[in-house]
Amino acid sequence: MEHLVQHAVTTIRERFWEPLSLDELARSAMVSKYYFLRVFTRVTGVTPGRFLCAVRIQEAKRLLMTTSLTVAEIAVRVGYSSTGSFTRRFTELVGLSPTHYRRLSLETPGEKREPARPEAASAAPPAPSAARCSGTVTGVLHTAGTVLSPVHVGAFDSAMLQGTPASWSSVTAPGRFTLTRVPAGTWYIHAVAQARPAGSAADTEPVPLTATAGPVRVKDDTARRIDITLSPPDWSRPPILSALMDLDPQPMAA
């Protein structure tokens, strides 16, 4: 039934600004909505509603970076009737407000930046828990291509790469990584980099590489070791939403 999910994902990507419902997506696949929901979630790792929201927010990020449209205009273009609802959702999933994301994305490389602080209270893990109970996640990153950027690795509370991580690190090349002070709990380890495919020419356009491991259970004062392999995302992967992974991470470190 994977082809039904792929058809639904194509529909979402092509008509994300429309009020697509679970019933409509299930009808187009000619299955019951309950069966469709189970299959879609198993294949993509998220529900159809969350996938749709991710596609909308990803398009909003693109418009913020490449156009002069106002936040209100962008909200309408990606399917939101309320600018306030759009701003709250964007801030929760990206980790920055739309205006803050636009300001950071438009700054020139090397320019001194104002420290960016997560603006969604729900996006960050509770500080008291992180201070009292935390562990360490270590592992090795693998890839077949030539990595052209730092590899950003973080512990997130969702299988979808969204919000702000509980702990993050950047490494200059595939190899060993360490995430320290990861709060006790269940996390997903996400990694992102830009790379040139193996065997391609030096002027080949870089492609994104991603990897996800989890759920990973972290206990107090313990270390977990995992191996993850970076690869180009396929059609079933929801878009990357966290600003930490597609902007220079230094402003997010504060």
Side-chain angles (χ1 to χ4, degrees):
M1 301 297 285
E2 188 174 289
H3 68 285
L4 297 179
V5 178
Q6 188 167 8
H7 174 73
V9 167
T10 299
T11 299
I12 289 173
R13 293 187 185 278
E14 293 179 348
R15 299 167 51 194
F16 60 86
W17 60 88
E18 299 180 18
L20 296 172
S21 67
L22 176 62
D23 287 328
E24 183 176 354
L25 291 172
R27 279 198 303 271
S28 68
M30 295 184 292
V31 294
S32 75
K33 66 179 181 180
Y34 304 106
Y35 179 75
F36 174 76
L37 178 61
R38 287 196 304 271
V39 174
F40 190 99
T41 304
R42 185 175 72 244
V43 172
T44 67
V46 298
T47 64
R50 292 187 67 193
F51 202 106
L52 172 61
C53 182
V55 172
R56 286 175 169 175
I57 297 300
Q58 176 66 11
E59 175 63 10
K61 288 167 61 180
R62 187 190 70 81
L63 293 172
L64 286 165
M65 288 190 293
T66 62
T67 75
S68 59
L69 293 171
T70 67
V71 172
E73 290 170 332
I74 290 173
V76 172
R77 286 206 177 194
V78 299
Y80 284 82
S81 58
S82 164
T83 304
S85 297
F86 164 72
T87 299
R88 286 191 296 272
R89 194 63 170 153
F90 186 100
T91 304
E92 174 190 355
L93 298 181
V94 177
L96 299 172
S97 69
T99 53
H100 202 166
Y101 182 84
R102 168 175 271 168
R103 185 166 70 250
L104 288 180
S105 66
L106 294 179
E107 287 175 348
T108 57
E111 182 178 345
K112 181 177 176 58
R113 294 177 173 179
E114 171 190 355
R117 300 179 184 276
E119 299 173 62
S122 61
S129 172
R132 290 197 303 265
C133 305
S134 61
T136 301
V137 176
T138 64
V140 178
L141 295 164
H142 305 276
T143 180
T146 301
V147 173
L148 305 176
S149 69
V151 183
H152 306 316
V153 188
F156 292 79
D157 62 2
S158 171
M160 194 163 68
L161 213 172
Q162 64 184 39
T164 55
S167 176
W168 68 274
S169 178
S170 292
V171 295
T172 57
R176 189 170 299 280
F177 71 90
T178 301
L179 300 177
T180 60
R181 300 181 64 186
V182 181
T186 301
W187 304 96
Y188 291 84
I189 310 304
H190 292 282
V192 174
Q194 293 287 324
R196 184 181 301 117
S200 60
D203 58 351
T204 301
E205 188 74 16
V207 297
L209 299 181
T210 65
T212 301
V216 174
R217 180 70 180 172
V218 177
K219 297 182 179 179
D220 185 23
D221 297 325
T222 60
R224 289 294 308 274
R225 185 183 184 282
I226 58 174
D227 286 3
I228 53 180
T229 300
L230 290 154
S231 61
D234 62 20
W235 62 266
S236 67
R237 296 268 190 95
I240 298 170
L241 300 183
S242 174
L244 181 65
M245 299 307 211
D246 60 5
L247 293 177
D248 181 352
Q250 296 307 313
M252 295 289 286

